């Protein structure tokens, strides 16, 4: 594989409990945002903040199903980090 970006996020608070230093290291490329296309929609995922990547591909089918329930309705999304459920 030929990744454009390699980012190591060793910044979980649990590292402090184990006496390990917190750090984020970008070994290659730029690690600001990741562009993701899912169900014909583009998202920008901030990589340096939040828990993990903030994007979970295993919910792709669930988000598509939710779209069918919410078609032509107004939705308030107060729980989504990257907007995957509301958008």
């Amino acid at each position: 594989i030929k990744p454009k970006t390699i980012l190591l996020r060793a910044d979980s608070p649990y590292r402090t409990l184990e006496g390990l230093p917190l750090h984020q290291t970008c070994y290659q490329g730029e690690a600001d945002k990741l562009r993701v296309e899912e169900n014909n929609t583009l998202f920008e995922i901030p990589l340096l903040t939040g828990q993990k990547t903030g994007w979970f591909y295993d919910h792709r089918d669930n988000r598509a199903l939710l779209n069918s329930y919410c078609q032509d309705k107004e939705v308030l999304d107060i729980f989504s980090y990257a907007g995957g459920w509301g958008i």
Side-chain angles (χ1 to χ4, degrees), residues 13-50:
Y14 293 109
R15 290 180 61 86
T16 304
L17 295 173
E18 297 179 11
L20 300 170
L22 303 178
H23 64 94
Q24 297 177 347
T25 306
C26 186
Y27 290 102
Q28 180 174 314
E30 296 180 23
D32 184 35
K33 294 179 183 173
L34 173 67
R35 293 191 109 190
V36 175
E37 181 176 353
E38 180 184 282
N39 300 318
N40 298 315
T41 305
L42 288 175
F43 298 91
E44 283 192 351
I45 312 304
L47 295 176
L48 299 176
T49 58

Side-chain angles (χ1 to χ4, degrees), residues 66 70 73-77 85-86:
L66 179 66
C70 299
K73 293 184 173 73
E74 291 186 25
V75 176
L76 174 62
D77 182 2
W85 291 96

